[in-house]
Amino acid sequence: MTTPFSDLDQFTALPRVDGIAVAPDGSRVFLTVSALDDERTGYRRSVWSVPADGSGTPVRLTRSAKGEGGIAVTRGGDVLFVSGRPDESGADDAAQLWVLPATGGEARPVTALSGGAGGVLATASGSDVVAFTASLLPGAGADADDETSFLASDAALRKRRKERKVAAILHETYPVRYWDHDLGPDETHVLTLDLGELHERDAAERPADGAEAPDYPTHLPRPADLTPAPARTLDHVDGALTPDGSVLLASVAVQEPRGFRSTLVTVDVPTGTRTVVFDEPDVDHEIPRVSHDGRTIAWVRTPRSTPAGAHEQEIWTAPLATDGTVDVAGARRIATDWDRWPAELVFEHGDAALLAVADQDGRAPIFRIPLDGAPVEQLTHDDWAYSGLRVAEATGEVVALRASWQAPLHPVRIAADGSVTVLATPAPLPEVPSTIEDVETTAADGSRVRGWLVLPEGDGPHPLLLWIHGGPLNSWNQWSWRWSPQLAAARGYAVLLPDPALSTGYGLDFINRGWNAWGQAPYTDLMAITDHVVGRSDIDETRTAAMGGSFGGYMANWVAGHTDRFRAIVTHASLWALEQFNGTTDMSQYWQSIFDAEGMRENDPHRFVADITTPMLVIHGDKDYRVPIGEGLRLWSELAEHHAAEDGTMPHRFLYFPDENHWVLKPQHAVVWYETVFAFLAQHVLGEEWERPELLG
């Protein structure tokens, strides 16, 4: 079968859905779709509309060289998005918040911020208030004599830094970076706008030619700052507005000595007055939601993990008064018998229950969680993973994105009985060169260990690739554009995608089997399910390889030091020396809290470098701040120290990306990544001659 997965250039050119919103009346769904740009070095998003009843064809709503993202919908059905497309504000091409009228016509910017707009945090269902994030320099407004001069102050400070070519950042708290970007010098603020003011302003308010420009365009509504003195870690913010837009319920970061904790606050939008609702040591309060009638809030409360184990993620509700006051005494936990971790929460129409998405058994179903304490109901019963849950305000239509290992994200509508209607998509689902099976075995301690087995065409026996997921709190339950087993299947490999101990979707006890002991149950689970799969007649036990990224890279390193059963090992963005990693990663507080000294020492893969006999392909990006480049550099150095010949040659390889992050996202680099991985596997698993990828010289 000839499919796009047989050619890497065709694969990277496949369009992909990555965002969803729904009109208040439930009639239309809005999607963002990423497509390869003309230079084939990046992706550009556009906004599309599709009917929510399953009929019709997709309609493209936006076209710009900069692309659009972060979609949301106002109460009137206008579409909000963020884009760096040029406009008359002259804000240095920084991304601004735009609105596309529901009645048609051209999109127009609604902000002109020097540092640009981040993303829409929340819209109000009964007013024109919208909350969004934006970055402001810490000195902006420091000498302000009115509530609006922070905008002019921020612009002046940015201009001065640019003119003097200053890139330095002065840090006063930890952390200093996050995943793939430096924190600072600016800080994330939450701003609000009343979009109703757009209709009260017209071009006549704009300054005449030659007139002195105001500090902010007069034809735009002036944003208000709800967070005039945020912590730098406000980068982590989530929130919801009450229906009238008068109160923002938000999960915001509070600084700690080596990081932050998430707290629940309310902010009075007209005055900016902040009230702390829940703030507990060693507890995070996240995913805040407000009911459609504005009378109830819901959120997730999670006690911090320790070396003794992870804790449940608790779902709580509390009454909300009309003045925005939360009845703290009335707070109560629901779904007390539900042993899953919700990734998303929304109130269903009528507010009698919450809808949630959570990993479960290699899938991610939608669950219904009654507010009256009744048992949790599983709404969808299929092999799909759902995300992007949205509920239409007026009609209660539920829409979402779903995916599996056989199909990428696409929009669907979910009925109250759990039945699913597939909607039109601007990114047609590609034909895949494989079939998939659910496989499982029993570990030595009696635990059930399962995974997916992707099988190529033909009877086999097929060479096998063991792919180990990252996280480690994760599950192989849906499509990945960066780790696509379909590309391997197109080249004749079977791919095993197991969920070992520490994986989500199997209960807290299953996670804690591997807690503070990454090299124990997770490793033996992987070997047990590999043993089970290679016993099949369609799998060639003599031609196998293991590969993984992030935590999966850690496990690949651990595998390399503990068995010679595999012909090749690929380790991407991998943890190698835990003590070093725990002091240099972007979030040391978390990683040091989940290991004790013995657990860190006993599960450190670098101690076993001398035992490695399997050829390894090491891959790392220099802009990876979660697993810093020092891990890859030290692994490579120690492989050379212990295994290089007199002339320095080794069977190992090191693929280094100076300008990539944890994932290696640029399409041209993704092609090089796969070319190198498949060339390395072909040499060691298939017995072919080493062929250096052309673009690597």
Side-chain angles (χ1 to χ4, degrees), residues 162-182:
K162 183 177 180 179
E163 290 174 345
R164 298 291 297 273
K165 295 181 171 55
V166 172
I169 303 171
L170 176 64
H171 292 283
E172 298 174 280
T173 58
Y174 182 93
V176 300
R177 51 191 192 173
Y178 186 66
W179 275 113
D180 62 351
H181 63 277
D182 293 313

Side-chain angles (χ1 to χ4, degrees), residues 624-645:
D624 185 350
Y625 296 161
R626 178 53 48 95
V627 184
I629 185 61
E631 297 299 297
L633 293 175
R634 183 167 174 178
L635 169 55
W636 186 242
S637 171
E638 293 185 355
L639 285 174
E641 177 186 356
H642 290 274
H643 302 294

Side-chain angles (χ1 to χ4, degrees), residues 251-270:
S251 171
V252 300
V254 171
Q255 193 69 50
E256 294 181 336
R258 297 193 64 203
F260 63 92
R261 66 184 180 276
S262 295
T263 66
L264 203 63
V265 305
T266 57
V267 184
D268 183 73
V269 172

Side-chain angles (χ1 to χ4, degrees), residues 654-676:
F654 185 12
L655 179 61
Y656 168 67
F657 293 95
D659 59 347
E660 284 285 4
N661 57 23
H662 194 64
W663 302 278
V664 183
L665 295 177
K666 296 176 182 177
Q668 71 274 22
H669 286 161
V671 169
V672 169
W673 191 96
Y674 280 114
E675 286 178 339
T676 308

Side-chain angles (χ1 to χ4, degrees), residues 280-361:
E280 304 172 74
D282 300 321
V283 174
D284 289 312
H285 297 269
E286 301 170 302
I287 319 183
R289 298 293 179 257
V290 176
S291 62
H292 300 282
D293 63 9
R295 298 178 180 177
T296 308
I297 67 170
W299 73 100
V300 175
R301 176 185 183 274
T302 308
R304 290 277 179 85
S305 300
T306 69
H311 296 283
E312 291 184 355
Q313 294 186 355
E314 308 165 358
I315 301 176
W316 285 69
T317 66
L320 182 66
T322 55
D323 64 356
T325 303
V326 175
D327 179 5
V328 175
R332 64 188 185 92
R333 183 183 173 189
I334 61 175
T336 55
D337 295 329
W338 189 51
D339 190 12
R340 293 294 180 266
W341 288 2
E344 300 182 15
L345 284 179
V346 295
F347 278 91
E348 72 171 9
H349 194 59
D351 298 327
L354 292 163
L355 300 178
V357 172
D359 291 348
Q360 175 165 286
D361 206 40

